[in-house]
Amino acid sequence: MDPFAKPGLHQAEAILQAHGVDAYFRSAAERTGDSHVVIDGRKVLMAGSGDYLGLSTHPRVIEAAVAAVRRFGTGVGGSRALNGTLDLHRELEGRLAAFLGQEAAAVTGSGFQANLALSALLGRDDIAFTDARNHASLIDAVRLGWGKVRSYRDLAHLRERLAAAPSGGGRLIITDSVFSMEGDVADLRGLVALAEEYDAKLVIDAAHDMGVFGPDGGGLATSYGLEGRIDLITGALSKAFGSVGGVLAGSADNIRYLDHNARSVLFSTALPPASAAAALAALEIILAEPERRARTLDLAGALHSGLRELGYDTRPSTTPIIPVRFADMAAAGAFWAGLFEAGVFTNLVGPPASAGAMLRLSLTANHDDADVTTVLEAVSAVGHRLHSNG
Ligand SMILES: Cc1ncc(COP(=O)(O)O)c(C=O)c1O
């Protein structure tokens, strides 16, 4: 049996393509200030980017990346532990730790790798309690670790599972703080309380809220003043930070443990200088320009309410990640193609990334009110044409 000949998502793509829906791996010839991209010679509004603050094209971020390449080269030629650590990494780690309200931080090559590091926390007697909606990287992390995995649907279910768990081993509760597909948020207060009640450690993945939420942008945990009661924060520099890379933040002892034992970090080349410098410059802008995140949240609010007025329910999202649900992938795909034709690029998502078929919309601080109107007019026109209301 050919190992490559298994059924998979490539077949789902082929079915969509046969119906004229070509939504995946589309390549852009240009990105214009992040709010538009040029695909197949057409300029389309990008309404699906996670570059929430529009920092990936900010002149100061670009300059910082270019200066770092000139100074350090394009790659460091080794892992952090052996020969790849730069002062730049250390500076970024110090700043990110403070930003996330933690004692120490480690930066990694990607957010995915930061999450895979969690596998080093799971010994044979340990149990990982994971939210069923968690990102694929968190699911893979617990698959890679030893120990048992208990998935939970909500806080009541988590309580049941914690109460039923044998004592003796370590307990780790792992959750996204903002869920990446439906844009809903974890009940961090409830999770902290349960973790404390059942003597579990709490790990949150702040990939989608660091830079966007919190009084200084330090993420949802800082919105509730909970950063001191969370054992580890993981995150990504690929979204609001407009760069690439991941972060692990927690107590100095816990970060030291991960630095030395997490294989996805230990056996991988250090974050490139340009990415580290871009993230540092982005962090300065995040701290100095709170109006950027305010703008992102305002545009998201306008898009949520405009979609609701058109009859599209964007619940359970309360964030800039805006889901529009459909009965099946055929309906979602037709809508995606209609919007693309109308000049609006969205993300077409289905299982296993999300529970059902949906479009995932997001706008960045580089968009403006006119862009919201453009998206809403396109949704309205396509909806009328397809006689579909999501
Ligand atoms: C919640 C969450 N965690 C982690 C990641 C992985 O981050 P990265 O793309 O930097 O590898 C993503 C993004 O894709 C994500 O949505």
Side-chain angles (χ1 to χ4, degrees):
M1 179 65 174
D2 179 353
F4 293 94
K6 294 184 181 68
L9 292 175
H10 59 297
Q11 291 167 332
E13 181 189 43
I15 294 169
L16 285 166
Q17 281 171 336
H19 288 85
V21 181
D22 198 6
Y24 303 117
F25 297 95
R26 296 302 298 262
S27 61
E30 255 181 76
R31 292 174 78 219
T32 60
D34 185 54
S35 56
H36 288 79
V37 289
V38 177
I39 296 179
D40 285 347
R42 283 171 63 230
K43 189 173 169 189
V44 295
L45 181 77
M46 173 46 77
S49 171
D51 183 12
Y52 299 116
L53 303 180
L55 292 180
S56 73
T57 53
H58 192 291
R60 271 169 44 209
V61 176
I62 293 173
E63 268 321 301
V66 170
V69 168
R70 294 225 164 85
R71 187 159 165 218
F72 299 107
T74 49
V76 291
S79 68
R80 291 291 305 278
L82 295 183
N83 62 304
T85 295
L86 301 173
D87 289 352
L88 194 55
H89 294 122
R90 294 269 188 238
E91 188 184 350
L92 178 60
E93 288 169 342
R95 299 279 201 92
L96 283 171
F99 179 66
L100 297 168
Q102 304 299 316
E103 201 181 358
V107 293
T108 64
S110 70
F112 204 107
Q113 279 176 306
N115 282 342
L116 287 187
L118 302 180
S119 62
L121 301 176
L122 293 166
R124 286 180 196 278
D125 296 330
D126 299 332
I127 306 178
F129 298 87
T130 66
D131 192 298
R133 297 161 293 177
N134 276 351
H135 188 260
S137 51
L138 294 174
I139 295 170
D140 287 359
V142 299
R143 279 187 188 159
L144 266 181
W146 299 104
K148 295 194 173 56
V149 182
R150 297 281 178 268
S151 170
Y152 62 87
R153 289 183 305 274
D154 52 30
L155 278 192
H157 192 208
L158 173 59
R159 175 183 284 282
E160 266 173 40
R161 302 215 90 169
L162 282 165
S167 51
R171 298 159 171 216
L172 205 61
I173 301 172
I174 303 175
T175 184
D176 286 3
S177 35
V178 169
F179 293 98
S180 57
M181 288 300 138
E182 306 210 42
D184 46 336
V185 303
D187 179 347
L188 293 186
R189 285 200 192 93
L191 287 166
V192 164
L194 274 184
E196 290 173 355
E197 186 179 340
Y198 286 92
D199 195 22
K201 301 288 182 195
L202 177 59
V203 179
I204 67 167
D205 174 355
H208 292 278
D209 49 290
M210 56 187 287
V212 179
F213 289 104
D216 297 316
L220 265 190
T222 66
S223 301
Y224 306 123
L226 291 174
E227 60 276 23
R229 294 165 72 189
I230 289 168
D231 298 285
L232 188 76
I233 297 179
T234 73
L237 304 174
S238 50
K239 305 186 194 299
F241 281 65
S243 180
V244 73
V247 60
L248 296 155
S251 72
D253 284 346
N254 290 351
I255 295 306
R256 185 170 150 73
Y257 175 83
L258 290 169
D259 268 343
H260 286 77
N261 296 287
R263 293 160 67 88
S264 65
V265 183
L266 199 54
F267 295 101
S268 186
T269 297
L271 184 68
S275 307
L280 251 182
L283 179 52
E284 274 166 23
I285 296 169
I286 289 168
L287 292 170
E289 298 179 13
E291 60 276 16
R292 276 186 177 268
R293 55 182 174 276
R295 162 145 213 85
T296 305
L297 295 175
D298 281 354
L299 292 176
L303 192 53
H304 271 293
S305 48
L307 285 167
R308 277 187 212 126
E309 275 163 31
L310 291 174
Y312 297 92
D313 183 356
T314 61
R315 279 178 300 182
S317 172
T318 51
T319 67
I321 297 172
I322 303 185
V324 176
R325 277 196 210 72
F326 293 86
D328 51 37
M329 283 306 275
F335 215 99
W336 181 91
L339 287 179
F340 183 59
E341 187 57 35
V344 176
F345 193 97
T346 59
N347 298 328
L348 173 60
V349 194
S354 57
M358 54 174 259
L359 298 184
R360 179 185 183 280
L361 277 66
S362 51
L363 295 177
T364 75
N366 285 354
H367 288 99
D368 57 24
D369 296 345
D371 295 324
V372 175
T373 306
T374 301
V375 174
L376 291 174
E377 284 176 357
V379 168
S380 172
V382 174
H384 279 116
R385 186 161 60 73
L386 295 176
H387 300 291
S388 155
N389 241 6

